[in-house]
Amino acid sequence: MDSGIGRMRGPIGETSRCTGVLFCEDQLLPEHLVLQRRHAYEVDDLNHTPFAPSQRLEPTEVADMLDGLLEENKKERRRVMGKPTREERLQHVRDVHRRVLHSLRTNSSAQSNREVALDAGCHPQTVKRITQWMANSSLPLSEYVYNNTHSDATLDTLDRSISDPASAMLSVVDLKRRVPECSKRFIARRMRRVHGLRYLKMRRERKDPKKDKYNKTNIDTKLLRTVLWTSVQAFARNNETLLFLDECEFALYQTPDYSWMKADEERPVYNRRTAEETALHVVALCSQERMVAFQVFEKHPNRIDIYYFLSTFFRRWLSGQRRRPRPTVVLLDNAGWHVANVVMKSSFRKLLLYSVPYGYELNLIELTFSKAKAEWRKRPVVESVEREVEFLAELFRTRIGERGFEGYRRQYLRQLREVLGRHLLV
């Protein structure tokens, strides 16, 4: 490796069974998802400048910057969504009417409102209003007799999806995504009348007593100030200066709150998908704009695992910035495996910023984990850990997309503003 990227020295240990470090922008290959032990090597000569924000700002100035970022985010959202002018709205209405009338006149056979809407690219209610106007205007219109039936192929696909044991955790909305020809009402009615299923809440059996909430009264205000000042000024730069890292556990026994079941059968127990209380663990890293990289572990990550992930990430990340390097800092909590000697004495230690204890509001990646957990609970039933790993990889690469980060970014800025007002503006 070049000296500016980092040279690998001797081995420092072996990781637990894990996948490779997966970058979301790369094409995913089957060999990347193999769970195996990997050798971690010492990396030195990471000649990269960390992001060093100004610490001379007053809390009121940082609060004004946060308010400005929130307001700018609102304007950006309006700009992305786009508010059409009156002439643009009228032209859109004319185009919709033209497409609906063209669809009604070119198709000789009678069509339902839904079929015309799919053909014209509008809502069925719009088609209904236009057809009512045509009927009142004495214009020629093919007579349509409502027939709430579906083809045998559609019903067969729907029944197979309902009967599939892997679909027990899916909701009506999830089933409609599989069979878009059927409405949600039709799917729910068929599940009740034909299959005898009800969408009922699972029984809950608490594994552990509720733990006492942690104490957040004694907070290091100096460290909190450093984290807040860094986060706000990095967001003001509007690039991938600040990165967020953390781990998340995905237990194989987790289930959603509700499941389809027959009314007379015993309800399954919440969080009892499998008898074994095993779990997969994901170390992930994101920016304010997207998910960047992640790695799946069979057990809870240890110090060697974290070192392997960070060293592999930085070598790849910095190699892509040879021509236009930018200051970078990674925000993470002070868990024991994050502050181990092998990490603290590494060449990339200067690029790490440790947050305050229990400061989950200061780490944006916690918001993405909430989305990932919800999708994980509804995952299909599979019979191998390898398939579970494939689902996790697909989840972090595609389902947590850039569009979702718009909402994560807004919520994160609100959380920063709340923490600032609660601890530093009093």
Side-chain angles (χ1 to χ4, degrees):
M1 284 290 183
D2 297 339
S3 60
I5 301 173
R7 292 196 300 265
M8 292 192 302
R9 300 293 188 181
I12 62 172
E14 196 176 53
T15 67
S16 57
R17 285 168 51 83
C18 61
T19 65
V21 178
L22 307 174
F23 287 81
C24 296
E25 60 187 14
D26 292 347
Q27 182 180 2
L28 192 62
L29 300 177
E31 53 266 26
H32 296 161
L33 301 178
V34 177
L35 293 172
Q36 62 184 15
R37 295 184 179 275
R38 302 171 189 273
H39 293 286
Y41 295 91
E42 183 181 359
V43 179
D44 62 358
D45 295 334
L46 282 175
N47 298 329
H48 191 73
T49 304
F51 176 60
S54 172
Q55 299 293 334
R56 297 181 179 180
L57 298 177
E58 295 296 327
T60 53
E61 295 178 290
V62 176
D64 293 339
M65 289 181 64
L66 273 173
D67 294 337
L69 286 171
L70 284 168
E71 186 62 30
E72 181 182 346
N73 201 280
K74 292 180 181 178
K75 292 180 180 178
E76 181 66 24
R77 187 183 180 191
R78 296 193 195 104
R79 186 158 54 248
V80 171
M81 294 176 64
K83 187 175 181 180
T85 62
R86 183 174 183 275
E87 288 299 324
E88 291 174 338
R89 293 198 300 270
L90 289 175
Q91 185 61 38
H92 174 71
V93 171
R94 297 189 190 102
D95 292 340
V96 170
H97 280 226
R98 191 178 300 111
R99 291 197 302 268
V100 171
L101 292 174
H102 177 74
S103 177
L104 291 171
R105 290 169 178 171
T106 54
N107 292 282
S108 57
S109 60
Q111 292 180 295
S112 66
N113 291 343
R114 183 182 298 275
E115 292 170 336
V116 176
L118 288 174
D119 186 36
C122 63
H123 196 275
Q125 193 67 24
T126 303
V127 179
K128 181 179 179 181
R129 292 175 181 174
I130 294 175
T131 53
Q132 288 177 347
W133 168 78
M134 293 179 66
N136 295 333
S137 303
S138 301
L139 295 176
L141 181 64
S142 302
E143 182 181 359
Y144 174 75
V145 179
Y146 179 68
N147 184 12
N148 187 23
T149 60
H150 296 278
S151 65
D152 294 338
T154 301
L155 294 178
D156 183 59
T157 303
L158 177 60
D159 290 338
R160 280 190 283 106
S161 298
I162 294 173
S163 303
D164 186 2
S167 306
M169 307 296 177
L170 300 182
S171 64
V172 171
V173 177
D174 298 323
L175 289 171
K176 178 170 174 57
R177 294 193 184 105
R178 292 188 176 187
V179 192
E181 297 84 2
C182 301
S183 66
K184 290 181 289 187
R185 179 179 296 180
F186 180 84
I187 294 174
R189 186 182 302 163
R190 188 166 185 84
M191 295 184 80
R192 288 195 304 268
R193 297 179 179 178
V194 178
H195 297 271
L197 297 174
R198 300 291 187 274
Y199 199 51
L200 303 176
K201 194 167 187 177
M202 293 187 174
R203 293 187 297 113
R204 287 180 176 262
E205 294 180 0
R206 296 293 179 185
K207 296 182 178 180
D208 300 318
K210 293 183 179 180
K211 299 180 180 179
D212 295 334
K213 292 186 177 180
Y214 46 79
N215 185 7
K216 296 178 62 177
T217 57
N218 300 324
I219 292 181
D220 186 350
T221 55
K222 184 178 180 180
L223 178 58
L224 177 62
R225 181 188 178 104
T226 301
V227 174
L228 282 173
W229 269 230
T230 302
S231 301
V232 174
Q233 294 181 60
F235 266 65
R237 295 168 69 98
N238 197 25
N239 59 21
E240 296 181 327
T241 299
L242 178 62
L243 304 173
F244 305 88
L245 180 140
D246 206 354
E247 306 85 33
C248 186
E249 178 184 272
F250 293 88
L252 301 184
Y253 56 78
Q254 284 185 327
T255 65
D257 289 333
Y258 291 83
S259 176
W260 289 99
M261 64 196 79
K262 295 185 181 296
D264 55 348
E265 70 178 354
E266 184 180 2
R267 297 191 184 185
V269 181
Y270 173 75
N271 274 356
R272 294 292 193 278
R273 185 189 286 251
T274 61
E276 298 181 2
E277 296 189 6
T278 57
L280 294 172
H281 299 262
V282 175
V283 179
L285 190 146
C286 74
S287 67
Q288 61 167 301
E289 301 173 352
R290 62 190 178 99
M291 184 65 64
V292 178
F294 63 95
Q295 189 175 16
V296 183
F297 291 86
E298 198 173 47
K299 295 182 180 180
H300 196 286
N302 55 37
R303 58 190 180 87
I304 301 297
D305 299 333
I306 297 300
Y307 183 91
Y308 178 84
F309 177 84
L310 286 172
S311 61
T312 305
F313 168 76
F314 278 123
R315 287 171 51 212
R316 163 73 181 272
W317 182 258
L318 300 181
S319 66
Q321 301 181 17
R322 289 179 178 178
R323 297 182 179 179
R324 300 182 62 184
R326 58 174 176 266
T328 304
V329 66
V330 176
L331 180 66
L332 67 167
D333 59 39
N334 50 9
W337 46 92
H338 291 167
V339 297
N341 287 335
V342 67
V343 177
M344 301 298 287
K345 296 179 180 179
S346 64
S347 59
F348 50 78
R349 167 63 184 90
K350 60 184 179 181
L351 303 178
L352 304 180
L353 173 63
Y354 291 95
S355 183
V356 297
Y358 306 112
Y360 64 91
E361 305 105 319
L362 305 176
N363 199 333
L364 183 144
I365 203 169
E366 298 288 354
L367 299 172
T368 69
F369 286 160
S370 177
K371 167 69 173 177
K373 283 268 191 178
E375 293 290 335
W376 172 257
R377 289 179 175 275
K378 297 189 299 182
R379 71 192 187 280
V381 179
V382 297
E383 298 182 358
S384 65
V385 177
E386 289 74 16
R387 295 291 303 278
E388 303 278 17
V389 173
E390 291 177 10
F391 181 86
L392 270 179
E394 190 270 338
L395 172 62
F396 275 87
R397 289 185 71 252
T398 60
R399 301 199 186 188
I400 305 179
E402 295 184 9
R403 185 175 182 181
F405 270 82
E406 298 176 5
Y408 303 149
R409 188 163 53 247
R410 287 194 299 272
Q411 180 60 25
Y412 180 68
L413 291 173
R414 296 189 196 105
Q415 292 176 179
L416 292 183
R417 185 65 176 86
E418 181 182 354
V419 172
L420 179 67
R422 189 167 62 242
H423 295 285
L424 298 177
L425 288 178
V426 292

